Amino acid sequence: MAGIYIHIPFCKQACHYCDFHFSTSLKQEDKMLSALKVELILRKNEMKNTTIETIYFGGGTPSILKVEDIEWLIGLIKIDYQVSETAEITLEANPDDLNPEYLKALSKSSVNRLSIGIQSFFEDDLKLMNRAHNANEAKTCLEQATQYFSNISIDLIYGIPGSTNERWIENIDTALGFNIPHISSYALTVEPKTALEHFIKKGIIANVDDDLANEQFHILIEKLNQNGFVHYELSNFGKEGFFSRNNSAYWQGKPYLGIGPSAHSFDGTTRGWNINNNSKYIKSILNHELPIEIETLTVTDAYNEYVMTGLRTIWGVSLDKVERDFGKDYKSYLLSQADNHLKNELLYIEENKLLVTKKGKFLSDGIASDLFKINT
Ligand code: SF4
């Protein structure tokens, strides 16, 4: 079982907080589509004996593409790869691209799941983040999308400077009003070299407040739990039957093929990442050369990744798996490093799995790093 990720590296405008790879110029769109086709063909043998269970269009902004181009790419995948009849096929979309005509066409395509970048229902939050959509579009796109799709996820951002807990609660309630089955939610993070970092340094935007973000994260957990969502990964909440199969596969260490500039791939032992430059990517691929760097994971890398992802999920870190895959020494190391966090009730063990407590949830990445082994 494996997945295919396709990176569509175009956006209408640059969100202030974003450090993903994208271009706001669409000049190379046609060439990019040709290059994606060639990369899919060049790499088909990497997934030769595997069934593709998930296809994910991420970005960038995949909904910038015409529906016929999306369906064309899916068709190409179906020619060269064994795609399961029940594959989850997700399209990331921005509210300003989703009108009834587009949604109707999309609902007739092979796409069966939408992940919509709502982020906030408040106009000033959207302006502060320089999103391309407005508050009205955030709501109307959901009214319309729910008429065509039942499997919908939305992204919401908390800890936005100037936000209050009352406004955050209103954002969550508005989202719940649309009866969608999946929500991904992230704290606003100040990434290096972003416009957000620049504006904070200049004093134009107030800095993010970790305490506010922590409070809003706990409000989110409580409200979504009350409304039947399972908090199955640190940033992801889903109703039963609607967990993201694509992301769950990443977290469970399943292989995936990343197509497009900056896309990452994993085959179980090696990790690869494509060049994050549109022109160089196109030139290289059209010359039939893969612009990819590859690293082989050491046992220690694989252990660290498993601990990091395991602690973020409700599946936890299985002590049996650590012993089986990495050896007794790793299990002893893990337990000795976890000792303090167990005593401080940030971690607990249940059914031989190491899990974070409610108190430990906001700190889980830091806790995981205490359990890492250093490569020697
Ligand atoms: S739409 Fe998404 S990928 Fe594009 S700039 Fe905004 S956050 Fe980044």
Side-chain angles (χ1 to χ4, degrees):
M1 183 212 150
I4 293 181
Y5 171 85
I6 303 205
H7 191 81
I8 306 298
F10 301 111
C11 292
K12 282 188 190 157
Q13 65 187 51
C15 301
H16 285 338
Y17 56 90
C18 180
D19 71 343
F20 293 147
H21 170 64
F22 66 92
S23 161
T24 49
S25 160
L26 284 172
K27 269 198 298 216
Q28 301 200 87
E29 186 182 341
D30 288 347
K31 279 190 189 155
M32 182 60 70
L33 286 170
S34 303
L36 294 173
K37 172 183 173 175
V38 174
E39 191 183 2
L40 278 167
I41 295 169
L42 288 176
R43 298 183 68 186
K44 65 181 178 187
N45 284 339
E46 291 181 40
M47 293 282 150
K48 207 166 44 188
N49 300 314
T50 320
T51 303
I52 303 300
E53 292 283 350
T54 62
I55 298 173
Y56 192 98
F57 289 87
T61 310
S63 56
I64 230 165
L65 296 181
K66 293 188 213 67
V67 175
E68 64 212 54
D69 290 333
I70 296 162
E71 191 63 354
W72 173 73
L73 284 166
I74 298 170
L76 291 172
I77 296 171
K78 286 182 177 169
I79 292 171
D80 283 324
Y81 297 80
Q82 297 166 44
V83 179
S84 158
E85 295 266 311
T86 56
E88 175 190 90
I89 304 183
T90 306
L91 183 86
E92 282 185 357
N94 275 345
D96 42 305
D97 294 325
L98 296 180
N99 54 56
E101 196 191 342
Y102 191 90
L103 282 160
K104 189 172 176 191
L106 205 55
S107 70
K108 291 183 180 157
S109 76
S110 308
V111 171
N112 51 29
R113 182 172 184 271
L114 286 183
S115 171
I116 308 177
I118 299 287
Q119 318 308 355
S120 173
F121 294 100
F122 285 97
E123 197 67 39
D124 43 355
D125 288 347
L126 296 168
K127 285 216 167 89
L128 182 144
M129 296 187 285
N130 201 38
R131 295 290 306 182
H133 66 280
N134 60 37
N136 188 39
E137 285 169 322
K139 290 177 190 154
T140 50
C141 89
L142 281 180
E143 273 161 26
Q144 291 161 358
T146 46
Q147 290 174 28
Y148 291 99
F149 285 86
S150 53
N151 198 350
I152 295 178
S153 176
I154 66 164
D155 285 359
L156 289 177
I157 292 181
Y158 55 88
I160 298 172
S163 135
T164 60
N165 290 347
E166 289 68 36
R167 277 170 56 131
W168 177 234
I169 290 168
E170 204 177 319
N171 255 339
I172 301 168
D173 284 339
T174 306
L176 289 171
F178 290 104
N179 208 15
I180 37 159
H182 192 279
I183 294 178
S184 300
S185 192
Y186 308 89
L188 184 67
T189 309
V190 188
E191 301 293 351
K193 298 191 188 133
T194 55
L196 181 64
E197 185 194 54
H198 172 78
F199 291 136
I200 289 173
K201 274 189 183 156
K202 292 256 168 206
I204 297 167
I205 294 178
N207 205 348
V208 294
D209 174 346
D210 285 346
D211 292 336
L212 179 77
N214 190 358
E215 277 174 37
Q216 296 191 347
F217 178 62
H218 282 99
I219 291 171
L220 177 76
I221 296 174
E222 202 175 312
K223 282 196 74 77
L224 293 189
N225 280 345
Q226 284 163 2
N227 283 276
F229 285 81
V230 179
H231 188 195
Y232 71 103
E233 196 269 347
L234 197 65
S235 308
N236 285 279
F237 302 79
K239 298 254 174 89
E240 286 296 350
F242 288 96
F243 296 0
S244 162
R245 283 165 56 195
N246 174 73
N247 292 358
S248 301
Y250 287 154
W251 302 319
Q252 288 165 8
K254 306 263 167 66
Y256 55 90
L257 188 67
I259 302 288
S262 83
H264 285 218
S265 302
F266 179 60
D267 68 2
T269 45
T270 62
R271 192 168 288 295
W273 54 97
N274 285 352
I275 195 164
N276 61 356
N277 176 298
N278 286 1
S279 301
K280 288 183 183 165
Y281 168 80
I282 291 170
K283 190 166 173 227
S284 174
I285 288 284
L286 295 183
N287 280 330
H288 288 200
E289 284 163 17
L290 293 176
I292 192 166
E293 272 186 62
I294 290 175
E295 76 173 2
T296 302
L297 294 187
T298 62
V299 175
T300 304
D301 292 335
Y303 160 85
N304 288 344
E305 285 205 5
Y306 177 58
V307 168
M308 177 70 147
T309 50
L311 274 194
R312 292 178 63 103
T313 69
I314 49 165
W315 303 291
V317 176
S318 158
L319 299 176
D320 294 335
K321 182 177 159 66
V322 169
E323 184 170 343
R324 192 177 60 240
D325 292 0
F326 309 110
K328 276 198 171 109
D329 288 353
Y330 277 82
K331 184 179 162 190
S332 312
Y333 176 82
L334 173 64
L335 287 172
S336 69
Q337 293 298 106
D339 195 42
N340 259 340
H341 294 311
L342 287 163
K343 284 187 187 130
N344 293 330
E345 295 176 355
L346 295 172
L347 290 174
Y348 68 104
I349 293 177
E350 193 177 271
E351 292 176 4
N352 228 14
K353 291 193 186 87
L354 194 61
L355 296 140
V356 281
T357 60
K358 195 174 165 195
K359 194 166 106 184
K361 269 186 178 159
F362 197 66
L363 307 168
S364 80
D365 286 353
I367 296 169
S369 68
D370 292 339
L371 312 180
F372 287 172
K373 242 179 177 309
I374 310 293
N375 267 319
T376 47

